[in-house]
Structure formats: structure tokens, C-alpha cells
Amino acid sequence: MKSLINNLDLKKVLSEKRLHGLWMLMSGYQSQYIGAMFYQTISALAKSGTYLLLQYFVDNFLLAQTSGFGIGVIAVGFVLLFLVQGLATFFSQKNAAKTAEGTIQRLRNYLYNHIQNLTFAYHAKTDTGDLIQRCTSDVDAIRRFYADQAIGLGRIIILFIVNFIALLRLNTYLALISVIVVPIIVFISVYFFRKVAKAYEAYQEQDAILSTTLQENLSGVRVVKAFARQPYEIDKFKKDNYEKYQRGRRLLTIHSLFWPISDIFCGAQMLVGYYIGAKMAINGVISIGTYMAYAGLIIWIIFPLRNLGRMIVQMSNGLVSYDRIYKIIKEDREPLDKGSISSKEKIRGDLEFKHVSFHYEDGSEVLHDISFKCHSGMSVALLGSTGSGKTSLVNLLPRFYDVTEGAILLDDYDLRLYTRRYLREQIGIVEQEPFLFSRSIYENITFGIKDQVSTEQVETAAKMAAVHDVILSFPQGYKTLVGERGVTLSGGQKQRVAIARTFLKDPRILILDDSTSSVDAETESVIQDAIQKLMQNRTTFIIAHRIQSIMQADLILVMDKGSIIQKGTHDELIQQKGVYRSIFDIQTRIEEDLQKEINSAS
Ligand code: M5T
Ligand code: MG
């Protein structure tokens, strides 16, 4: 049952209709919510009961000046009623807390899971700061909705109904007089509800802008400092912050307008009620006991009424936040299971690109009519100017994106027939800018497979990537934390940790996207040897700018503006007049010059 609740597919049960959506969000906790309401009813009944008992006591004992056994019974009655009221309130709060916290915990988990599984394209077009803001501040607004408003609103309605019925029992005329203002209060509340909703939405939007600015600045703090842009950035932040201040002020102003207006009506209602009640009592139309009970009960009519407005107005926050979160939930996840091929067997790694074209969502074409073939175990090198589409091409292999035209065949089947998970388990990528988590180096190398590998395997992988000695040079060795809370690795060290991570994964298809760009020539040759070893028996894609590092590839593709302009082996390409030849010439000349300089210096 519990797992059923936790695995609820929110995307299926939620909808644009906000109140319905919020109710469905409570799935599994709805009975608890109803339980909370039930206890509220008990508590309210006990409360009204107290006043009715008071009336009975005043009229039949105090005024009649009788005493004796009855008084004792009434005293016990009062104590019991208070006890019931207290206990019922406690259980109601308990249920309410469970409802609110349970619902929100699941929502948070769901959102995290959902965001992890959204498409690359979605993440590319969404600000991280905005997402963070929705997952924190908006989720919290929904939590308040359940903890305060949803429960509060129920409590108010119950209090109102129960006490109104109690009032009717006392005196119909008085009861009707006491609720004259209800339509007015409801009307005002609804009017303000709309205004607050708008203002709150504007406020949250600005809040998201501020989060994004902050988050980008923290991530890009080096760039900001290097360009001495602090004054500009501070100024920009100040402006955004000022806008937030203004929107916040507007929101509060609307709130603070609402209070006095609703208070005036409620206050007037009470005065009129007391006045009429008192006159009736003086004229003997109602008894003193009735008047006393009335004076108590009317508070419990006016109090909920005052709060009804507040609740309705505050509810708008929860509803707006619901919209903002539902927008994320509505997004399609990467269809992980769309492919049908996923077996226990490993892939062979034969690849064929057949007239592949590709463009990013609402972008122009970045790959045109790419065709080539490579067998399992072959190495394919990609060479080309920056922006020529090399990274885009290799990103098609793990299906980060799917081709827009043509097809890629893996082991003779269309790539789109494979499940993404199956593919990704067998493809290892050393990215152009590897990302390391703020965890230990050990955890970074064993990312995703920590329980399946031994320490020796990890060290072997690190040695192959020529990073073992570097790691040991840190005081805490493999336990050294990386990033914000630990050491900052150099670009080359990061790349090598990423290479070690990929070594350990032992993939069938290996992608090295400019993986040796930030290491010096000496280290590169060490890694090259390791990479050569790693490349054996797997299909490898190497992207590099130095011809030195790709000369030995079985197939070299020279790319320009998304097309293949030359393909062949090093020996073949060197014979042709073309881009490859000129790059080769330039690079050898530079190296020769360098060598000459070194020779003459020594
Ligand atoms: C090729 C565009 C980019 C460029 C073209 C990764 C990525 C790229 N592009 C997008 O619009 N969205 C993306 O997510 O595609 O870019 P590339 O494939 O990254 O080029 P490259 O790897 O050959 O370049 P480099 O500099 O890494 O050598 O127009 O704007
Ligand atoms: Mg690239």
C-alpha cells in the first residue's frame, strides 16, 4: 500500500483544474484529510455544546437559584466537553500534519525523479534557478496550502455550520441577524482572491529571476571576477531585487487592504448582534442564559468568517504554485522504454550512419546527410573546426537526441529500437567538459557502479588514466572530496578522473570528446597509451584537435559545417589535397619549429 502511494504517477492523476489537482495530489492521504475534518467536527460540536450547557446552567440553576446534585453533573459535563474538544483538536492536527507532510514529501520525490528524467532539450531551454525555485518555494506554498488552508477552510466551514445550527436552536431571529454579512465577506474575499493571485504570481516570477541570477553568478563566479564584472552584476542584481521588493510590497499592500475592510464588517456585525441580543434579553424576549450562550457563540461565527476571507486570499498562493509545479509535471519525460531491444547480452558495436541529418529543437540543421560505416572494434576519429558538429554527432549515439532524418544502425538495428538505458549502460563518454560531483574522488570514479567494483579495479582504472599518483598525492587519497567542499582539480586532472570513470565502466562503445585537450604533451602520451589499450575490442569515437592523437584511427572523418568533407585513414588522407593535409602540414611545421627552438636553446 505504502509503495503504491509513493509510486503514484502524478502526471496521470493531476490536471489543469487546480482544486481537483490539489485533491488528487492528496491521493492516499485523502482519508486522513477527511479524518482531520471529522475530528474538527467533533471539536466544533463540543465547543457549541459548551455554550448550550452554559445556557442551560444559567437559566435552570443560576437564575432558578437551585442547587444540589445537578450542579455536579453539569460541572462534570463541562470538563468532559473540554476534554473531548482538546482531544479531537489534537487528533485533527495529527491527521492534518500527516496529510500535508506526506503529500509534500511524495511531491518532492516525484519532482526530483521527474526532473532527472526530463529530456536534454527541456534542460537546455530551462533556467536552473527557475527550476530550483519551483521545487523549493512553490512546493512550500503547496505545503502551507495543505497544512493551513485546506484544513483551515474545512475547520471554518464546520465551525460556521455547527455554531449556526446551535444559534438557530437558541433563537432563529438572532441567528439570521448574525449572518447578514456573510455574502458581503464572501464577495470581498473573492475579489481580493483574484488580486492576490495575480500579485503573488508576479512575485514568484520575479523570485525565480532572482534565483537564476544568483545561481548563474555562483556557477560563473570565475568568469565574473576575471572580467571584473562585479559592479555590473551587482547592479543587475540590485535592479532585479528592487523589482522583487516592489512586487512584494504590492502583494502586502493588497493583503493589508483586505484586513481592515473585512474587519470593519465583522466588527459591525458583532456590535449589531450584541446590541440586538442585549435588547431582547432586557425586554425578556430571550433568557439571560440564552443571551450568554449567544454572546459566546457569535464569536465562533464571526471568527471563522474573518478567517474565511484570509484563507480564501491565502489559498490563491497555493493555487498559483500548483500551476507553476504542474507546468513541470506536464513535461514529457525521456521515453526510456520506447525502444524494444534490451537484452542481457552486450552489443557488438557495428555502427552505420545512413544519410543522417539533425537539428536541435527550433534550431537550424547542424548535421547534413552524414553517411559512414564502422565495424565493431574500430576507432573513428572526428576532426573539424569548432562548431562543425562533432559533439552533436556523438551525442546521437546514447540517444541524448534522436536523428531528425536518416537512421543510425547499431548491430544492424535502428538505434531507436534500443532502450536508452540499455544503450547508455554500454556507451562510455568522456565529455568535453567533464562534470564531477561534490563527492569523494572514489565515488566519482565509481559513479553508478560503486557496489559492483573492488578497490583494486578502481586503482587500476586510475593508473590507466594516469591519475593514480595525483590522487595519492592528496592527503586523503581516494577519499579526497572534490569541488566546493574539497580540493579543486585542474582541468587535466578532472579529465583524467573522468577517463578513469569510463575505464571502469568498461563500455562497448567509447566516446572521447576532446578528452585530452587540457593535459600536457607528456601526460597525453601516457594517456594515449592507456587509451590505445582501452580502445581494443570496442568501437571508439575520438574527437581531437591534434592530428598526433588521431593518426592511428581506422577511420578519420573530417567535418565542416555539419558535413563530412573527407574520410579515410591517415595515409589515404595525407595523399589527398585538402583540409586534412593542410592541418597536418601546419601542425607538423609548428612542432618542427618548436623542436628547433628547443634544440637551439640547449
Ligand atoms: C554544432 C549547436 C552549436 C553549433 C552546432 C551541443 C549543442 C550544440 N548546438 C546546439 O544548438 N545545442 C547543443 O546542445 O550545434 O555544435 P557542436 O556539435 O557542439 O560542435 P563541435 O563539437 O564540433 O565544436 P567544438 O567547439 O566542441 O570543437 O552551432 O551552437
Ligand atoms: Mg564539441
Side-chain angles (χ1 to χ4, degrees):
M1 177 66 187
K2 192 144 195 158
S3 70
L4 208 82
I5 293 177
N6 290 328
N7 291 331
L8 183 73
D9 185 356
L10 294 182
K11 191 176 171 176
K12 282 208 188 108
V13 300
L14 300 188
S15 66
E16 302 279 351
K17 285 185 224 115
R18 300 183 292 189
L19 281 177
H20 177 252
L22 282 161
W23 171 251
M24 291 312 287
L25 202 58
M26 269 201 296
S27 299
Y29 296 97
Q30 287 152 343
S31 52
Q32 242 117 17
Y33 174 76
I34 292 169
M37 287 304 134
F38 169 75
Y39 285 117
Q40 284 292 343
T41 312
I42 302 277
S43 161
L45 283 173
K47 195 189 288 295
S48 323
T50 322
Y51 291 108
L52 295 183
L53 193 61
L54 179 71
Q55 177 213 16
Y56 182 76
F57 171 67
V58 171
D59 287 347
N60 295 315
F61 287 87
L62 264 186
L63 293 179
Q65 294 192 335
T66 42
S67 59
F69 183 65
I71 291 193
V73 175
I74 284 180
V76 172
F78 273 120
V79 171
L80 277 181
L81 282 172
F82 282 128
L83 204 68
V84 168
Q85 204 181 315
L87 276 175
T89 306
F90 168 74
F91 282 116
S92 163
Q93 300 278 357
K94 207 175 136 159
N95 274 313
K98 211 166 169 186
T99 308
E101 297 303 331
T103 306
I104 288 305
Q105 188 200 8
R106 176 178 61 200
L107 176 65
R108 273 200 211 98
N109 280 339
Y110 183 86
L111 273 178
Y112 188 74
N113 189 324
H114 187 62
I115 290 171
Q116 293 267 323
N117 285 304
L118 289 174
T119 59
F120 268 71
Y122 178 79
H123 284 294
K125 69 171 191 230
T126 314
D127 290 330
T128 311
D130 188 73
L131 270 184
I132 292 177
Q133 208 256 353
R134 285 174 201 236
C135 291
T136 50
S137 163
D138 283 312
V139 166
D140 205 54
I142 295 191
R143 189 187 63 79
R144 283 199 305 273
F145 176 84
Y146 288 124
D148 303 338
Q149 287 112 47
I151 300 292
L153 200 67
R155 176 179 146 82
I156 284 165
I157 292 171
I158 289 167
L159 270 176
F160 185 85
I161 293 175
V162 169
N163 286 304
F164 183 64
I165 292 173
L167 268 186
L168 278 177
R169 274 188 50 96
L170 285 180
N171 186 292
T172 319
Y173 175 68
L174 265 183
L176 291 178
I177 287 281
S178 311
V179 294
I180 294 175
V181 284
V182 173
I184 304 174
I185 296 282
V186 170
F187 177 77
I188 296 175
S189 306
V190 171
Y191 173 78
F192 274 93
F193 168 82
R194 297 224 174 98
K195 285 210 156 255
V196 168
K198 250 199 199 141
Y200 175 73
E201 189 159 18
Y203 179 78
Q204 286 296 80
E205 270 166 20
Q206 189 60 23
D207 204 29
I209 292 177
L210 223 61
S211 307
T212 303
T213 310
L214 186 65
Q215 181 264 333
E216 281 189 342
N217 260 282
L218 292 179
S219 315
V221 67
R222 282 158 218 265
V223 183
V224 173
K225 284 199 198 259
F227 282 77
R229 292 280 278 182
Q230 290 102 319
Y232 171 83
E233 292 297 329
I234 291 170
D235 209 49
K236 182 173 178 309
F237 186 83
K238 261 193 195 156
K239 272 195 199 121
D240 288 344
N241 196 16
Y242 182 71
E243 182 63 33
K244 180 175 169 184
Y245 154 81
Q246 284 203 315
R247 291 184 185 190
R249 243 183 46 176
R250 198 180 131 65
L251 186 62
L252 283 180
T253 310
I254 298 174
H255 269 289
S256 50
L257 260 177
F258 173 74
W259 290 126
I261 294 178
S262 88
D263 275 3
I264 287 171
F265 282 101
C266 289
Q269 168 75 77
M270 222 142 107
L271 276 182
V272 169
Y274 280 146
Y275 174 75
I276 294 176
K279 270 203 102 161
M280 286 167 83
I282 290 165
N283 295 335
V285 183
I286 55 172
S287 67
I288 300 283
T290 305
Y291 180 67
M292 283 183 73
Y294 170 75
L297 281 173
I298 192 174
I299 294 177
W300 293 103
I301 289 272
I302 298 294
F303 159 80
L305 214 54
R306 258 195 85 199
N307 275 288
L308 175 73
R310 193 173 97 195
M311 289 293 161
I312 290 182
V313 169
Q314 283 177 351
M315 255 170 74
S316 63
N317 297 7
L319 296 183
V320 168
S321 287
Y322 173 79
D323 276 346
R324 290 168 55 81
I325 286 173
Y326 184 61
K327 275 210 185 91
I328 304 179
I329 293 181
K330 238 178 7 188
E331 287 291 332
D332 284 329
R333 291 186 181 193
E334 219 178 19
L336 266 176
D337 304 308
K338 207 171 175 187
S340 51
I341 305 179
S342 101
S343 68
K344 289 241 169 343
E345 271 170 50
K346 289 204 164 182
I347 52 174
R348 272 199 321 275
D350 292 334
L351 272 165
E352 183 178 359
F353 276 62
K354 279 172 115 177
H355 305 288
V356 168
S357 293
F358 173 70
H359 62 79
Y360 291 98
E361 211 176 323
D362 27 83
S364 56
E365 212 163 68
V366 294
L367 295 175
H368 318 280
D369 197 23
I370 303 275
S371 292
F372 69 90
K373 216 171 161 169
C374 70
H375 296 296
S376 165
M378 263 173 75
S379 54
V380 181
L382 298 174
L383 187 77
S385 56
T386 155
S388 56
K390 304 182 294 293
T391 301
S392 305
L393 190 149
V394 293
N395 277 350
L396 297 176
L397 295 174
R399 292 190 63 198
F400 289 157
Y401 296 92
D402 279 332
V403 300
T404 36
E405 254 174 75
I408 302 174
L409 304 186
L410 171 64
D411 296 350
D412 303 327
Y413 292 106
D414 193 310
L415 205 59
R416 282 164 290 195
L417 292 174
Y418 294 87
T419 64
R420 289 181 168 82
R421 173 172 221 152
Y422 179 61
L423 280 176
R424 288 173 195 175
E425 272 165 4
Q426 304 193 54
I427 298 180
I429 310 179
V430 180
E431 291 187 335
Q432 203 162 5
E433 290 150 21
F435 180 83
L436 299 185
F437 293 91
S438 309
R439 303 174 192 174
S440 70
I441 294 185
Y442 191 88
E443 281 171 295
N444 267 293
I445 296 181
T446 56
F447 183 71
I449 47 172
K450 197 172 165 202
D451 305 327
Q452 301 157 30
V453 291
S454 67
T455 317
E456 287 91 69
Q457 283 174 300
V458 175
E459 288 184 4
T460 313
K463 278 180 195 150
M464 300 250 279
V467 71
H468 180 68
D469 293 335
V470 177
I471 297 172
L472 288 190
S473 73
F474 299 128
Q476 284 172 298
Y478 279 87
K479 293 204 184 101
T480 308
L481 290 178
V482 179
E484 277 148 26
R485 287 174 300 143
V487 297
T488 308
L489 297 183
S490 74
Q493 287 166 346
K494 259 194 216 163
Q495 277 191 332
R496 281 179 279 159
V497 170
I499 291 175
R501 172 158 80 191
T502 313
F503 269 144
L504 202 60
K505 190 174 171 186
D506 191 23
R508 291 297 307 144
I509 297 179
L510 175 68
I511 298 170
L512 302 160
D513 191 349
D514 235 350
S515 318
T516 53
S517 60
S518 352
V519 300
D520 55 83
E522 202 177 322
T523 317
E524 190 183 347
S525 75
V526 177
I527 301 177
Q528 277 305 328
D529 291 345
I531 288 180
Q532 291 299 336
K533 269 186 229 142
L534 183 69
M535 275 161 48
Q536 280 161 19
N537 301 323
R538 22 181 147 237
T539 316
T540 312
F541 282 78
I542 311 180
I543 299 176
H545 287 106
R546 264 172 281 187
I547 287 198
Q548 282 287 343
S549 15
I550 58 167
M551 262 163 55
Q552 304 180 16
D554 300 312
L555 175 67
I556 298 171
L557 306 174
V558 184
M559 294 190 61
D560 185 42
K561 300 196 193 84
S563 302
I564 296 178
I565 50 168
Q566 280 186 295
K567 67 177 152 188
T569 62
H570 175 73
D571 293 335
E572 285 163 19
L573 291 174
I574 211 92
Q575 308 295 331
Q576 301 170 10
K577 265 198 189 128
V579 180
Y580 190 83
R581 179 69 203 241
S582 21
I583 299 175
F584 179 73
D585 285 345
I586 295 169
Q587 289 193 355
T588 8
R589 206 171 322 128
I590 291 173
E591 293 203 354
E592 276 167 11
D593 288 353
L594 213 71
Q595 202 56 46
K596 264 187 222 149
E597 247 171 74
I598 294 169
N599 289 346
S600 63
S602 59

